[in-house]
């Protein structure tokens, strides 16, 4: 049983006239009659009772009527779904991000995608730090991620979405509170709360590099799974932490003071990253929406 046979059957069943059904299908009447006879042979039962004056459905024809409509309606739905997916109107985009500096960005993008492309599911994976996020984009586990890096990875397309500066976060009343800016070298005797080394926080990597450049190994007394926890630990007096200004600005936490760093004079950047040449139409639709939801900010000369 083929789709064109079911289409022919329904046309005759609804018109109850072979000539009108042939005109509706834009085929010759003899070809329509052959199609119906072939379908009847395959099913082993006559579908129509024919006389010189009329055409009527048999019991077998009545039994086939609803299933035939369901099959053709299912095929129509399938065609529409495939065409919509090909135009980027439906589909799924998997996005990774981590930390409060990304949450507002993801919220803005998610709202615009729902408004402009209700057929696209933006599937979000939080606590995806930079190294892990890039690896997952490259291996196809994610389609899109908000990341930071110091060396641009191969095979990745990207766009800068925020300009950030490294800062120090200390408890209120700390000896460094109110000073600005300070050098990380001033903190060699301090105890630190840090983000995790695994799965790979880029902020932690920048902290370790900056401490190395200042000629000391930081005393990390506790690792926090995210910036919210790190700020709470700082407020509790566990230690101080190295962070970015955007992340701190998005965390509501009493008991902390943000201190500008000499090492933060040179900005760092959060980027939207995806695989070069990814053919997913839904991803292209989300990237177009991102240009409005997360426009590229004014960048210092030479930033890329």
């Amino acid at each position: 049983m083929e789709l064109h046979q079911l289409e022919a059957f329904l046309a005759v069943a609804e018109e109850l006239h072979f000539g009108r059904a042939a005109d509706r299908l834009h085929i010759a009447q003899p070809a329509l009659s052959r199609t119906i006879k072939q379908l009847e042979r395959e099913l082993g039962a006559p579908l129509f009772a024919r006389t010189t004056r009329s055409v009527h459905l048999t019991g077998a024809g009545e039994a086939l009527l609803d299933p035939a409509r369901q099959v053709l309606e299912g095929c129509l739905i399938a065609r529409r779904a495939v065409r919509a997916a090909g135009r980027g109107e439906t589909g799924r985009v998997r996005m990774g991000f981590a930390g409060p500096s990304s949450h507002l960005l993801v919220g803005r993008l998610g709202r615009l995608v729902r408004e402009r492309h209700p057929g696209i599911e933006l599937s979000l994976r939080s606590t995806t730090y930079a190294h892990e996020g890039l690896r997952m984009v490259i291996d196809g586990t994610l389609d899109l991620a908000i990341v930071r890096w110091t060396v641009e990875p191969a095979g990745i397309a990207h766009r800068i979405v925020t300009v950030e500066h490294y800062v120090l976060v200390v408890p209120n009343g700390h000896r460094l509170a109110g000073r600005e800016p300070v050098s990380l070298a001033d903190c060699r005797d301090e105890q630190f709360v840090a983000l995790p080394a695994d799965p790979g926080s880029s902020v932690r990597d920048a902290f370790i590099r900056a401490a190395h450049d200042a000629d000391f190994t930081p005393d990390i007394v506790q690792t926090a799974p995210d910036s919210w926890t790190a700020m709470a630990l700082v407020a509790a007096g566990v230690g101080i932490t190295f962070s970015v200004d955007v992340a701190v600005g998005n965390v509501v936490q009493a008991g902390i003071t943000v201190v500008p760093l000499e090492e933060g004079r040179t900005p760092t950047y959060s980027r939207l990253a995806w695989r070069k040449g990814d053919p997913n139409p839904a991803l292209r639709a989300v990237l177009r929406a991102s240009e409005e939801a997360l426009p590229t900010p004014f960048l210092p000369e030479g930033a890329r």
Side-chain angles (χ1 to χ4, degrees):
M1 189 185 307
E2 298 180 6
L3 291 179
H4 79 277
Q5 293 174 321
L6 292 180
E7 289 171 343
F9 164 74
L10 282 179
V12 176
E14 290 169 0
E15 298 290 345
L16 294 178
H17 190 285
F18 274 78
R20 289 195 298 270
D23 290 341
R24 171 173 151 181
L25 296 170
H26 305 291
I27 61 175
Q29 184 173 329
L32 174 60
S33 297
R34 287 194 297 272
T35 298
I36 295 298
K37 287 178 182 178
Q38 183 182 18
L39 179 60
E40 290 174 326
R41 284 196 300 271
E42 291 179 5
L43 294 176
L47 301 173
F48 297 99
R50 308 168 179 84
T51 70
T52 55
R53 294 185 177 182
S54 64
V55 175
H56 298 286
L57 283 165
T58 64
E62 291 282 359
L64 180 60
L65 197 56
D66 283 345
R69 285 173 174 155
Q70 291 171 13
V71 168
L72 292 178
E73 179 65 21
C75 289
L76 179 60
I77 291 171
R79 289 192 189 104
R80 287 173 178 167
V82 170
R83 289 169 184 163
R87 293 191 297 266
E89 295 172 1
T90 63
R92 182 169 178 245
V93 174
R94 300 156 301 171
M95 182 175 183
F97 63 99
S101 60
S102 298
H103 278 226
L104 290 180
L105 303 178
V106 171
R108 292 205 302 266
L109 179 58
R111 284 191 293 272
L112 189 60
V113 169
R114 286 194 299 274
E115 177 185 324
R116 299 280 177 82
H117 305 285
I120 293 178
E121 176 193 358
L122 189 61
S123 176
L124 302 177
R125 177 178 174 135
S126 61
T127 65
T128 306
Y129 286 101
H131 301 323
E132 181 187 28
L134 282 170
R135 176 186 59 76
M136 295 175 75
V137 169
I138 290 169
D139 71 18
T141 307
L142 291 176
D143 305 299
L144 192 62
I146 296 179
V147 297
R148 300 180 187 87
W149 64 58
T150 53
V151 178
E152 182 177 341
I156 292 291
H158 61 94
R159 185 170 61 80
I160 294 172
V161 291
T162 59
V163 179
E164 303 166 335
H165 297 82
Y166 292 121
V167 295
L168 204 63
V169 184
V170 303
N172 288 348
H174 189 275
R175 66 181 183 86
L176 297 174
R179 290 178 52 187
E180 55 178 74
V182 301
S183 170
L184 203 58
D186 298 329
C187 307
R188 64 176 64 252
D189 297 324
E190 295 289 338
Q191 294 182 318
F192 286 89
V193 175
L195 293 174
D198 184 23
S201 162
S202 61
V203 172
R204 178 184 172 121
D205 287 351
F207 166 49
I208 299 299
R209 284 195 305 272
H212 181 268
D213 292 342
D215 200 28
F216 76 97
T217 299
D219 179 14
I220 298 174
V221 294
Q222 191 159 340
T223 296
D226 51 55
S227 294
W228 288 282
T229 306
M231 303 305 162
L233 291 169
V234 170
V238 173
I240 66 176
T241 196
F242 181 96
S243 188
V244 290
D245 53 358
V246 175
V248 179
N250 291 338
V251 174
V252 178
Q253 176 66 63
I256 61 174
T257 299
V258 180
V259 181
L261 274 170
E262 290 281 359
E263 290 80 0
R265 292 186 185 275
T266 300
T268 185
Y269 307 104
S270 281
R271 305 167 191 267
L272 206 55
W274 62 96
R275 286 182 302 282
K276 286 182 178 177
D278 191 318
N280 182 356
L283 173 62
R284 293 197 295 271
V286 170
L287 290 174
R288 287 193 297 271
S290 78
E291 293 176 1
E292 180 176 339
L294 313 176
T296 299
F298 175 80
L299 299 174
E301 186 175 351
R304 58 181 302 275

